[in-house]
Amino acid sequence: MDKSVFDRFKYFMERETPVFRSYVMKKANGEILDIETLPPDDLQEMFIDEVITDGVIADLFDVEQKVVTKKRYKHGIKFGQTLSRKSIELIENISKLIETKDVSEDIELVLIPIKIIIHPDDDLIFAPYHAFENDGRQYPFYDYEGLEEVDTETFCVRISRVKREIESMLEEIIEFLCECEWEDEVYFERENDSKVDVSAILFADEDSTAAKINLAVSLHISGLHKSGDLIFDTEYDLGTGSLSFQTEGSDFELDVDDIQDLFLECWSSVNHYVQIQNEIELELEDEI
């Protein structure tokens, strides 16, 4: 067994990283790791659950970082992913995980969202729930069939509040770009809001000069996901200034054009940053 392999990845193995650890063990035992045969599920768990960056995975598999990044995006493994393998397993085995704890006493009403409604004129996003009275079930959120419906509740948040969170996140990213040099992917997350969750990743594909921002917006509506229910995510190309919106992964049925019309203005500060950078580059080219 090659102890030097353990020494190289010791820092990452000290955390709870069972999948990553298993590949380190294979490499230490002399097995040649092939990134092409790496199962997407394992790559997803290493990247999403175990927070192992592309650079570290590339080092383990003896390939360039862009090879790992390209494989991730080929299989749709990117920031804003709503359900990792670990999350799915958690849901599937929830009854086993809570056998030793009776949580039914803490859940009097089970709130199941019906749909999400966006009303720009009133500056509101709201989602009506079906409200059921818990009859003592251990985890009624996942097993509410047959429960008596007692009332109607509604999740509600102001659109302007969501916009402020997005704009604050983007301002933080711009400040980082102005002050820091970076190579690996950089993560940003805002957890100061009980209803809105905005997270982002700064990354580059094959061309390290073509940086992009992937930003996802989630709302804590159903309580099913720790990071909230994904509403939409975006990708902004800092090289071209192009911005795309996606709602395919949303937990609700949403029209991407409506979302874009509503939140497009939030990226004005980033557009301004790109414009300034382009002007600086043009001035430098003229001086040469």
Side-chain angles (χ1 to χ4, degrees), residues 226-253:
K226 182 179 180 181
S227 60
D229 302 287
L230 181 67
I231 302 303
F232 68 92
D233 61 13
T234 59
E235 186 170 279
Y236 188 99
D237 190 318
L238 288 164
T240 64
S242 63
L243 171 66
S244 62
F245 285 74
Q246 298 90 34
T247 57
E248 291 87 350
S250 174
D251 293 288
F252 298 90
E253 292 186 8

Side-chain angles (χ1 to χ4, degrees), residues 12 15 17 44-53 187:
F12 302 97
R15 309 199 314 252
T17 55
Q44 177 169 319
E45 182 147 347
M46 282 192 282
F47 183 76
I48 299 292
D49 290 74
E50 301 179 1
V51 198
I52 305 296
T53 64
Y187 298 87

Side-chain angles (χ1 to χ4, degrees), residues 38-175:
L38 174 64
D41 283 351
D42 286 355
L43 177 58
Q44 177 169 319
E45 182 147 347
M46 282 192 282
F47 183 76
I48 299 292
D49 290 74
E50 301 179 1
V51 198
I52 305 296
T53 64
D54 286 354
V56 176
I57 297 173
D59 190 22
L60 178 62
F61 282 80
D62 296 315
V63 296
E64 294 183 25
Q65 179 175 327
K66 64 182 181 182
V67 175
V68 179
T69 304
K70 186 175 181 180
K71 184 178 179 70
R72 277 201 301 103
Y73 276 79
K74 177 182 178 182
H75 295 286
I77 304 169
K78 51 197 294 190
F79 200 68
Q81 192 92 6
T82 53
L83 281 179
S84 62
R85 185 169 68 179
K86 183 179 292 185
S87 300
I88 294 172
E89 290 175 353
L90 174 62
I91 294 172
E92 291 176 345
N93 298 292
I94 193 67
S95 60
K96 296 180 181 179
L97 293 173
I98 59 173
E99 282 179 352
T100 59
K101 181 179 179 181
D102 185 7
V103 299
S104 61
E105 296 179 1
D106 300 326
I107 303 177
E108 296 180 358
L109 293 179
V110 186
L111 304 177
I112 307 299
I114 302 169
K115 60 181 178 178
I116 190 170
I117 301 169
I118 299 178
H119 205 297
D121 292 341
D122 293 329
D123 189 31
L124 285 177
I125 299 175
F126 56 97
Y129 298 95
H130 286 304
F132 300 94
E133 186 175 10
N134 185 17
D135 61 4
R137 301 181 187 188
Q138 194 171 27
Y139 210 85
F141 188 92
Y142 297 94
D143 178 28
Y144 57 88
E145 186 176 352
L147 293 181
E148 181 181 354
E149 187 166 0
V150 295
D151 201 354
T152 299
E153 300 282 342
T154 303
F155 167 91
C156 185
V157 66
R158 292 205 172 273
I159 297 171
S160 55
R161 181 173 171 182
V162 179
K163 288 181 176 180
R164 284 197 301 271
E165 289 298 315
I166 296 173
E167 291 165 352
S168 296
M169 171 67 75
L170 292 173
E171 288 171 2
E172 181 181 339
I173 294 173
I174 293 172
E175 183 178 352

